[in-house]
């Protein structure tokens, strides 16, 4: 990839001069052309869902529920306006068995593919997404109620970044890696090979992301989407399946399954599954891990967080930082696993921050972006099930001294009364003892807390059971480094918000936010089998053999023991004298 990067940075005159003056450069030039052509993305199409076509309008449901009276089908609707999107038949245990079996059959052949062949599929996917952003955004907005901008940032951009990173760095992450040897094993070469696990499962919010990692690592993939986004799940899975077909591979490699909670354990305990990535709540994670343990399936769990953004006293541009904070809190109506759940401000900036935030949050417009594209800042929540809990938490905080400056309750949109809306909320003077400072909200609620200084800010940030992500804003490098070092989190952004996700650093948390990592080198390797391989460095000269002194049947166990002592001293002695004594013992008793 370095050759390609340097080549792309050169001017055409430089390229022509080098190519025609050097035969090796000419060979490299044709290699690049051939290589690019071999991995170039392929054109393909996926039928556009009727609901994504201009002018479509669905029936507005009287009752917004996923349950369908008299049927096991999942009733899918748009949370922003209550329009019926359609029905999805949930998979049964037999259906899961068939899906796993199909994926296994396809994976046996897929595991034999080269990294170049896998990159071609990635390039094909990237090409399709870039050419179909409008449809992909519409599907995401219909099924989640989020605005188009949020779909661009939360679905499309993170997916294109993952694809681009995987294309450029995926092979390096999974290429066999040489490991050091030692004095006694100097005739050996050691390496770790990252091989496919088989078929893995992912219970994920962004369906495309786990499929990208799974197939690039040589695995098959069973993706279980949420019942709340069942309608779009099959469309997103079809995007990947069709890319595989377009590149000449079996689409059975990727399977999309939607099921009711009572059927999910059949998937998570399935003996045909080699790994599970789960994103969700702690109670469900306990059930998933217990189920997976039945078949000894390893699990990576990401369980949300109570991410803190610490604002130090020496920040330069508080208005600019406020914009970052607003995006971190209100993007996707707060339904973001790395969304900012607490803003902890030091004394010198606290009051000024309130002055900036209050009028801006009051101006936020809530509604359906697809219906009113120019009049919406914050969209709907996926469900209204949490509204009573949110209102109770806010009321409880106010009763203990917090001040509610904006919002604080569910919102009935006059144009879309069936939509799941909650008023964008600003709650200040919150303290760590309040429930709202301890529980994940997953909602458009800006919680502001005051710290007395850097140490106090870190104490407040670490006062919850969670430890997913965090942010810190300031100027003094020592103070920033202190926060980064002492905050209990799996990821930290300095003078930014959640940017680690856009550069494919390993994603995950500590404490109650789960364990394991996806994304980056660590993510790809976590869904691979790290096979340790030792081999002879010079097989024609040195071959493994058992010394006569310890070969069965052992002629003299005492001499064998002395020889073993000598080998240990020779290999690990802490001085030349000790090693020399070891060598003498080996010679005398070997």
């Amino acid at each position: 990839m370095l050759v390609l990067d340097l080549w792309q940075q050169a001017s055409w005159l430089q390229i022509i001069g080098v190519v025609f003056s050097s035969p090796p450069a000419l060979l490299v030039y044709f290699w690049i052309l051939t290589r690019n052509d071999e991995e170039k993305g392929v054109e393909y199409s996926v039928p556009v869902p009727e609901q994504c076509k201009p002018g479509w309008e669905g029936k507005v449901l009287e009752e917004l529920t996923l349950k369908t009276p008299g049927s096991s089908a999942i009733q899918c609707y748009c949370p922003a306006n209550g329009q019926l999107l359609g029905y999805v038949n949930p998979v049964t245990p037999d259906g899961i068995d068939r899906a796993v079996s199909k994926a296994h059959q396809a994976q046996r052949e897929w595991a034999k593919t080269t990294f170049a062949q896998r990159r071609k599929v990635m390039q094909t996917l990237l090409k399709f997404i870039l050419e179909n952003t409008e449809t992909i955004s519409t599907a995401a907005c219909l099924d989640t109620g989020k605005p188009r901008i949020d779909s661009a940032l939360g679905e499309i951009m993170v997916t294109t970044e993952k694809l681009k990173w995987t294309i450029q760095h995926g092979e390096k992450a999974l290429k066999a890696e040489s490991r050091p040897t030692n004095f006694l094993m100097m005739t050996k070469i050691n390496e770790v090979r990252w091989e496919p696990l088989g078929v893995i499962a992912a219970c994920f919010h962004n369906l495309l992301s786990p499929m990208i990692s799974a197939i690039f690592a040589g695995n098959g993939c069973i993706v279980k989407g949420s019942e709340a986004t069942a309608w779009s799940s099959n469309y997103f899975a079809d995007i990947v399946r069709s890319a595989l077909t377009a590149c000449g591979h079996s689409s059975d490699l990727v399977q999309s399954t939607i099921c009711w909670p009572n059927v999910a354990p059949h998937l998570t305990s399935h003996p045909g599954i080699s790994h599970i990535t789960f994103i969700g709540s702690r109670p469900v994670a306990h059930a998933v891990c217990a189920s997976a343990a039945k078949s000894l399936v390893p699990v990576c769990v990401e369980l949300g967080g109570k991410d803190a953004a610490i604002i130090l006293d020496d920040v330069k541009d508080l208005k600019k930082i406020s914009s970052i904070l607003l995006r971190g809190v209100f993007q996707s109506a707060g339904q973001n696993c790395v969304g900012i759940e607490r803003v902890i401000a030091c004394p010198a900036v606290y009051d000024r921050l309130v002055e900036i935030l209050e009028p801006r949050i009051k101006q936020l417009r809530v509604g359906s972006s697809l219906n009113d594209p120019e009049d919406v800042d914050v969209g709907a929540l996926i469900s209204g099930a949490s509204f009573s809990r949110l209102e109770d938490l806010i009321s409880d905080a106010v009763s203990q001294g917090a001040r509610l400056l904006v919002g604080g309750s569910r919102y009935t949109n006059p144009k879309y009364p069936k939509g799941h809306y909650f008023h964008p909320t600003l709650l200040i003077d919150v303290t760590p003892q309040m429930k709202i400072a301890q529980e994940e909200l997953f909602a458009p609620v800006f919680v502001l807390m005051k710290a007395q200084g850097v140490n106090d800010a870190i104490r407040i940030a670490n006062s919850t059971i969670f430890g997913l992500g965090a942010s810190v804003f300031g100027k003094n490098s020592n103070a920033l480094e202190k926060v980064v070092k002492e905050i209990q989190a799996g990821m930290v952004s300095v003078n930014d918000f959640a940017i680690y996700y856009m550069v494919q650093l390993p994603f995950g948390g500590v404490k109650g936010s789960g364990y394991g990592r996806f994304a980056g080198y660590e993510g790809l390797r976590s869904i691979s089998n790290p096979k340790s391989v030792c081999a002879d460095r010079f097989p024609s000269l040195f071959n493994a053999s058992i010394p006569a002194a310890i070969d069965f049947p052992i002629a003299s166990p005492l001499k064998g023991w002395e020889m073993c002592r000598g080998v240990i001293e020779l290999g690990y002695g802490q001085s030349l004298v000790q090693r020399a004594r070891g060598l003498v013992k080996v010679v005398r008793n070997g």
Side-chain angles (χ1 to χ4, degrees):
M1 298 309 295
L2 177 61
V3 174
L4 291 176
D5 291 340
L6 293 174
W7 189 271
Q8 291 166 355
Q9 293 171 14
S11 70
W12 279 109
L13 288 177
Q14 290 172 320
I15 292 172
I16 292 170
V18 170
V19 167
F20 286 98
S21 63
S22 170
L26 189 61
L27 291 174
V28 171
Y29 172 71
F30 284 115
W31 173 79
I32 291 173
L33 290 181
T34 305
R35 184 176 184 274
N36 281 344
D37 186 62
E38 287 177 353
E39 297 182 11
K40 186 178 179 181
V42 177
E43 288 279 354
Y44 74 98
S45 62
V46 177
V48 176
E50 286 297 319
Q51 297 88 334
C52 293
K53 294 178 180 178
W56 177 86
E57 287 190 16
K59 171 188 173 185
V60 177
L61 297 171
E62 284 300 317
E63 183 180 1
L64 301 190
T65 174
L66 297 175
K67 297 283 187 179
T68 304
S71 171
S72 64
I74 299 170
Q75 181 174 257
C76 306
Y77 63 87
C78 176
N81 54 29
Q83 291 183 356
L84 177 66
L85 296 173
Y87 298 92
V88 171
N89 288 320
V91 71
T92 62
D94 286 344
I96 290 174
D97 291 340
R98 289 192 295 271
V100 173
S101 176
K102 287 181 179 180
H104 266 290
Q105 291 178 25
Q107 192 272 335
R108 291 188 191 100
E109 291 301 314
W110 177 252
K112 302 173 186 176
T113 57
T114 64
F115 285 119
Q117 289 174 305
R118 297 175 195 176
R119 276 193 296 269
K120 185 182 182 72
V121 175
M122 301 294 111
Q123 294 279 19
T124 299
L125 265 173
L126 180 58
K127 178 180 175 63
F128 179 88
I129 291 171
L130 292 173
E131 293 174 353
N132 294 273
T133 54
E134 187 88 9
T135 302
I136 292 169
S137 170
T138 301
C141 293
L142 282 171
D143 222 6
T144 64
K146 64 177 60 177
R148 279 205 185 277
I149 291 174
D150 293 359
S151 74
L153 298 174
E155 269 78 27
I156 299 171
M157 186 179 291
V158 295
T159 301
T160 51
E161 159 58 24
K162 190 175 189 72
L163 282 166
K164 192 68 173 176
W165 184 92
T166 304
I167 290 165
Q168 293 179 331
H169 307 289
E171 179 175 358
K172 189 186 299 182
L174 296 175
K175 203 169 184 179
E177 191 174 81
S178 177
R179 295 294 173 89
T181 189
N182 58 50
F183 178 74
L184 294 178
M185 295 291 113
M186 66 174 71
T187 63
K188 300 291 183 180
I189 54 174
N190 316 308
E191 67 178 18
V192 178
R193 301 176 184 178
W194 308 94
E195 298 183 345
L197 281 176
V199 174
I200 65 176
C203 307
F204 223 80
H205 63 294
N206 183 330
L207 293 189
L208 291 173
S209 181
M211 289 188 273
I212 292 167
S213 297
I215 63 178
F216 192 83
N219 298 310
C221 186
I222 311 292
V223 182
K224 183 203 171 297
S226 166
E227 309 92 89
T229 55
W231 173 77
S232 62
S233 296
N234 287 331
Y235 170 65
F236 289 131
D238 282 345
I239 291 175
V240 180
R241 289 162 58 86
S242 297
L244 286 164
T245 301
C247 295
H249 307 289
S250 173
S251 63
D252 286 343
L253 189 68
V254 170
Q255 300 287 325
S256 175
T257 60
I258 303 293
C259 64
W260 291 113
N262 64 309
V263 176
H266 191 77
L267 173 64
T268 53
S269 64
H270 202 289
I273 297 297
S274 299
H275 184 277
I276 297 171
T277 301
F278 171 81
I279 294 182
S281 68
R282 282 168 60 88
V284 177
H286 282 293
V288 169
C289 292
S291 176
K294 295 176 183 177
S295 297
L296 296 180
V297 179
V299 185
C300 168
V301 291
E302 191 269 278
L303 308 178
K306 194 67 179 171
D307 290 15
I310 294 176
I311 318 300
L312 303 180
D313 277 334
D314 63 349
V315 292
K316 279 187 174 182
D317 190 340
L318 200 54
K319 186 175 180 181
K320 178 181 176 181
I321 291 172
S322 297
S323 293
I324 298 173
L325 298 175
L326 289 170
R327 174 55 59 184
V329 172
F330 294 109
Q331 180 168 312
S332 298
Q335 300 166 117
N336 184 350
C337 57
V338 288
I340 296 174
E341 290 260 339
R342 296 171 296 158
V343 176
I344 305 168
C346 289
V349 297
Y350 188 88
D351 291 337
R352 177 61 182 143
L353 193 58
V354 174
E355 292 175 5
I356 295 172
L357 290 170
E358 184 176 3
R360 294 189 66 177
I361 294 174
K362 283 181 177 177
Q363 293 172 12
L364 294 179
R365 300 160 298 177
V366 178
S368 173
S369 172
L370 293 181
N371 299 102
D372 303 307
E374 291 290 348
D375 299 316
V376 174
D377 298 304
V378 180
L381 276 74
I382 196 72
S383 165
S386 65
F387 288 173
S388 294
R389 181 181 72 91
L390 290 171
E391 291 168 345
D392 289 345
L393 286 171
I394 292 168
S395 296
D396 175 71
V398 170
S399 72
Q400 296 182 60
R403 288 189 289 155
L404 179 62
L405 301 186
V406 185
S409 62
R410 68 193 76 193
Y411 170 63
T412 301
N413 190 305
K415 294 179 70 174
Y416 314 106
K418 295 293 184 179
H420 298 313
Y421 296 108
F422 199 88
H423 279 287
T425 297
L426 175 59
L427 185 69
I428 71 171
D429 297 347
V430 174
T431 62
Q433 293 73 31
M434 299 175 185
K435 289 182 181 179
I436 201 165
Q438 298 296 320
E439 296 185 18
E440 184 178 31
L441 302 181
F442 224 54
V445 179
F446 196 115
V447 172
L448 183 60
M449 309 174 74
K450 181 182 286 187
Q452 297 308 310
V454 178
N455 289 330
D456 193 38
I458 295 170
R459 178 190 65 81
I460 294 171
N462 291 338
S463 66
T464 75
I465 63 171
F466 297 104
L468 186 57
S471 302
V472 57
F473 297 84
K475 182 181 177 183
N476 184 281
S477 59
N478 290 331
L480 291 171
E481 180 58 28
K482 179 180 177 64
V483 173
V484 170
K485 184 177 180 179
E486 296 184 17
I487 200 164
Q488 296 167 357
M491 306 166 289
V492 183
S493 290
V494 178
N495 288 317
D496 211 328
F497 153 67
I499 201 65
Y500 35 76
Y501 201 64
M502 278 302 299
V503 291
Q504 290 300 297
L505 288 176
F507 190 100
V510 295
K511 297 167 54 176
S513 289
Y515 52 83
R517 296 294 185 269
F518 55 88
Y521 277 47
E522 292 78 3
L524 278 177
R525 290 178 173 183
S526 73
I527 53 174
S528 303
N529 171 37
K531 180 180 286 184
S532 300
V533 179
C534 292
D536 291 320
R537 189 182 300 274
F538 309 109
S540 60
L541 297 177
F542 301 100
N543 291 299
S545 62
I546 302 298
I550 59 172
D551 195 13
F552 289 116
I554 300 171
S556 172
L558 289 177
K559 292 188 71 174
W561 159 242
E562 286 299 317
M563 194 210 76
C564 288
R565 286 181 62 194
V567 170
I568 294 170
E569 290 176 4
L570 175 63
Y572 307 103
Q574 295 177 307
S575 68
L576 287 175
V577 173
Q578 194 173 22
R579 289 193 172 199
R581 283 201 303 261
L583 179 59
V584 171
K585 289 176 183 176
V586 171
V587 172
R588 284 179 176 175
N589 297 283

